[in-house]
């Protein structure tokens, strides 16, 4: 349930004065272009300019086709999760090995075989979402508004900075795997009574692009604003595509990530029908068990992760704090099965190899991987085998799964795990794998992080995410130098 108690001063913002209403926020006026010479007149074979120009000015400027690619850095982090409603408390709890898996309270599931999830029990909307919107919106949109605004605040984008931004060069790409499942479910229940009972917001508040759209409307950001739905790889797809907008020179700043609020009766029942969920109801905190032989399925989670990606020189000019550099990544498809990964891992291997090649990163430089590892035996082991195919000769490699503590956030998973990867670079600590009590006999426990946090000087961090439909993704971060 969402509620609105008072916030601590360092996080308190007024919805009416910051990031919410554009009153008082000025748009940067485009610079006036220099006057262009009028067309030359050709008479008697001679060219006469209307006004004098030097010979140098008449020679077209040659473009350097080897111009250095624009670099992308992370300057802000936002997260709403079952174990913390900002990026830093979230990561602090990860390092302590705190689990967010509990009994479901959002609806009556007493007759369900699965009665546990990593549910967000309470979340303050005060100062982040107007009361009217907080009453109407689906959870996935509320999570995105809060995480997005907290990412901006964390990135030092205050009212003063906002007034100086060219908002046509600021974009938003926050995706969702399932979108407004609760709003859609309520609409279907209403229409069974009568079409007149249908909420007029049922359609706009259920479609996945609306999280980005509302952020754009509240911030006045006029660059690209859209969503990508690639199942559980959604977050990574959004991050990589957002970075590409910056690299191409279209945009200077992108808010990007993924959001999901699908712990509803329909959502849980749907995954139960596919026999994907853990039924360890008596021990909720031990239910999510990546790479453990006693795992019996994944645990649904909910929340949102948002990164502020920014062009390096733009970030330096405004004196932004730089958490890490985004190196790039790769996306591809297994083209094999709607739910099962390819048995030989060819899609995952190809995705990782292409990511390394495109970023110019050597295999031995990747010494930390935040894996997809959902706590499904087949999926975990096929991903592990593909990763070891690529990195088995790297003695420094360490790997963990954030899902052991927060469950599987579906379309938000990759984004929240990207936040964790960036925080690992910043802090020099990588979080534990909890519940790894009986590791699968095929895994090398020296590669997997143990039950406690570990120190690691990260050279390059990789985050992997995969989704129903065969979607594969791999993205890379490194310390900014």
């Amino acid at each position: 349930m969402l509620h609105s108690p008072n916030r601590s001063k360092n996080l308190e913002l007024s919805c009416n004065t910051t990031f919410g209403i554009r009153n008082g926020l000025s748009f940067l006026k485009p610079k006036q272009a220099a006057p262009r010479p009028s067309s030359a007149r050709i008479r008697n074979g001679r060219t006469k300019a209307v006004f004098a120009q030097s010979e140098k000015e008449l020679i077209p400027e040659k473009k350097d086709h080897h111009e250095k690619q624009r670099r992308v850095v992370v300057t802000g982090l936002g997260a709403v999760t079952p174990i913390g409603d900002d990026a830093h408390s979230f990561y602090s709890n990860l390092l302590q090995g705190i689990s967010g898996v509990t009994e479901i309270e959002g609806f009556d599931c007493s007759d369900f075989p699965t009665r546990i999830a990593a549910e967000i029990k309470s979340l303050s909307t005060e100062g982040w979402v107007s009361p009217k919107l907080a009453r109407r919106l689906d959870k996935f949109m509320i999570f995105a508004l809060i995480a997005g605004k907290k990412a901006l605040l964390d990135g030092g984008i205050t009212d003063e900075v906002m007034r100086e931004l060219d908002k046509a060069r600021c974009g938003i790409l926050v995706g969702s795997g399932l979108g407004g499942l609760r709003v859609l479910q309520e609409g279907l229940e209403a229409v069974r009574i009568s079409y007149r009972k249908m909420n007029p917001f049922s359609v706009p508040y259920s479609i996945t692009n609306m999280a980005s759209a509302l952020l754009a409307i509240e911030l006045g950001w006029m660059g690209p604003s859209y969503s990508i739905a690639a199942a559980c790889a959604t977050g990574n797809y959004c991050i990589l595509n957002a970075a590409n907008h910056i690299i191409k020179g279209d945009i200077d700043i992108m808010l990007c990530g993924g959001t999901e609020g699908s712990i509803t009766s329909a959502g849980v029942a749907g995954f139960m029908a596919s026999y994907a969920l853990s039924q360890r109801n008596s021990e909720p905190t031990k239910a999510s068990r990546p790479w453990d032989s006693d795992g019996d399925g994944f645990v649904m989670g909910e929340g949102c992760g948002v990164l502020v990606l920014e062009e390096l020189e733009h970030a330096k000019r405004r004196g932004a704090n730089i958490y890490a550099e985004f190196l790039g990544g790769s996306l591809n498809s297994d083209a094999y099965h709607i739910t099962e990964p390819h048995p030989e891992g060819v899609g995952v291997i190809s995705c990782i190899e292409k990511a390394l090649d495109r970023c110019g990163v050597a295999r031995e430089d990747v010494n930390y991987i935040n894996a997809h590892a959902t706590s499904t035996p087949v999926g975990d082991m096929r991903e592990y085998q593909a990763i070891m195919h690529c990195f088995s000769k790297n003695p420094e490699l360490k790997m963990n799964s954030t899902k052991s503590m927060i469950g599987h956030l579906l379309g938000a998973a990759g984004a929240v795990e990207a936040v964790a990867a960036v925080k690992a670079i910043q802090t020099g600590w990588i979080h534990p794998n909890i519940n790894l009590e009986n590791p699968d006999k095929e895994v090398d426990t020296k590669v997997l992080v143990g039950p406690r946090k570990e120190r690691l000087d990260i050279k390059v961090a990789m985050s992997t995410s995969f989704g129903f439909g065969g979607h594969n993704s791999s993205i890379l971060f490194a310390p900014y130098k």
Side-chain angles (χ1 to χ4, degrees), residues 232 288-290 297-299 371-377 379-380 383 401 403 407-408 466:
C232 304
S288 188
R289 311 177 70 86
F298 77 83
V299 176
H372 186 59
T374 63
S375 185
T376 54
D380 290 1
E383 178 191 10
S401 172
K403 294 181 181 71
H408 188 0
F466 315 107

Side-chain angles (χ1 to χ4, degrees), residues 82-84 93-94 96-102 117-119 283-288 299 402-407 434-435:
I83 60 171
N93 287 330
L94 282 180
Q96 296 176 60
I98 295 173
S99 173
V101 183
T102 59
E119 192 177 32
E283 298 178 293
T285 61
K286 292 184 175 294
S288 188
V299 176
T402 305
K403 294 181 181 71
S404 65
M405 285 170 272
I406 62 170
I434 69 168
N435 302 325

Side-chain angles (χ1 to χ4, degrees), residues 138-145 147-148 171-180 206-213 215 224-242 254-262 303-307 409-416:
D138 191 278
K139 289 191 292 182
F140 89 105
M141 299 164 73
I142 292 175
F143 297 159
L145 285 171
I172 303 171
L173 179 42
V174 178
S176 179
L178 293 172
S206 64
I207 52 181
T208 61
N209 71 298
M210 205 54 67
S212 292
L215 272 168
S225 169
Y226 62 106
S227 67
I228 293 174
C232 304
T234 291
N236 279 6
Y237 269 62
C238 290
I239 292 168
L240 185 54
N241 278 277
M254 288 289 292
L255 274 179
C256 58
T259 183
E260 205 77 86
S262 55
C304 178
V306 175
L307 284 70
L409 272 62
L410 308 174
V416 171

Side-chain angles (χ1 to χ4, degrees), residues 146-380:
I146 295 175
K149 292 174 183 179
K150 288 185 176 182
L152 288 176
L153 183 64
D154 184 63
I157 301 179
T158 60
D159 273 342
E160 183 179 353
V161 174
M162 284 283 277
R163 281 191 287 270
E164 298 301 320
L165 291 178
D166 181 350
K167 295 178 180 61
R169 295 186 61 81
C170 301
I172 303 171
L173 179 42
V174 178
S176 179
L178 293 172
L181 197 58
R182 179 184 60 81
V183 168
L184 186 60
Q185 182 177 334
E186 290 173 352
L188 291 173
E189 291 169 355
V191 81
R192 289 194 185 100
I193 301 171
S194 169
Y195 75 92
R196 298 180 186 276
K197 297 289 185 180
M198 196 64 149
N199 187 327
F201 297 100
S202 292
V203 171
Y205 285 174
S206 64
I207 52 181
T208 61
N209 71 298
M210 205 54 67
S212 292
L214 277 182
L215 272 168
I217 291 168
E218 293 207 1
L219 301 175
W221 284 18
M222 300 175 67
S225 169
Y226 62 106
S227 67
I228 293 174
C232 304
T234 291
N236 279 6
Y237 269 62
C238 290
I239 292 168
L240 185 54
N241 278 277
N244 287 337
H245 281 294
I246 296 173
I247 291 168
K248 288 190 298 181
D250 301 333
I251 293 295
D252 296 321
I253 301 179
M254 288 289 292
L255 274 179
C256 58
T259 183
E260 205 77 86
S262 55
I263 300 178
T264 67
S265 57
V268 174
F271 281 109
M272 283 194 310
S274 61
Y275 303 100
L277 298 183
S278 170
Q279 297 182 21
R280 195 184 287 258
N281 299 308
S282 61
E283 298 178 293
T285 61
K286 292 184 175 294
S288 188
R289 311 177 70 86
W291 303 298
D292 191 88
S293 58
D294 293 334
D296 68 333
F298 77 83
V299 176
M300 286 182 69
E302 62 184 359
C304 178
V306 175
L307 284 70
V308 179
L309 294 187
E310 191 166 354
E311 193 272 325
L312 174 59
E313 297 305 318
H314 189 277
K316 288 164 67 175
R317 282 195 299 272
R318 71 176 186 87
N321 174 52
I322 296 176
Y323 283 108
E325 181 167 3
F326 180 74
L327 302 182
S330 177
L331 314 170
N332 73 3
S333 174
D334 272 358
Y336 172 72
H337 191 272
I338 62 169
T339 57
E340 290 185 18
H342 193 285
E344 296 175 8
V346 292
V348 175
I349 292 170
S350 172
C351 186
I352 291 172
E353 290 178 340
K354 286 180 179 177
L356 295 173
D357 181 62
R358 289 173 181 173
C359 298
V361 171
R363 297 183 186 214
E364 58 268 22
D365 286 337
V366 178
N367 62 342
Y368 170 55
I369 296 177
N370 188 300
H372 186 59
T374 63
S375 185
T376 54
V378 173
D380 290 1

Side-chain angles (χ1 to χ4, degrees), residues 371-394:
H372 186 59
T374 63
S375 185
T376 54
V378 173
D380 290 1
M381 289 313 302
R382 289 184 182 172
E383 178 191 10
Y384 174 85
Q385 290 160 1
I387 287 173
M388 296 312 292
H389 174 90
C390 297
F391 299 105
S392 61
K393 296 182 180 180
N394 187 347

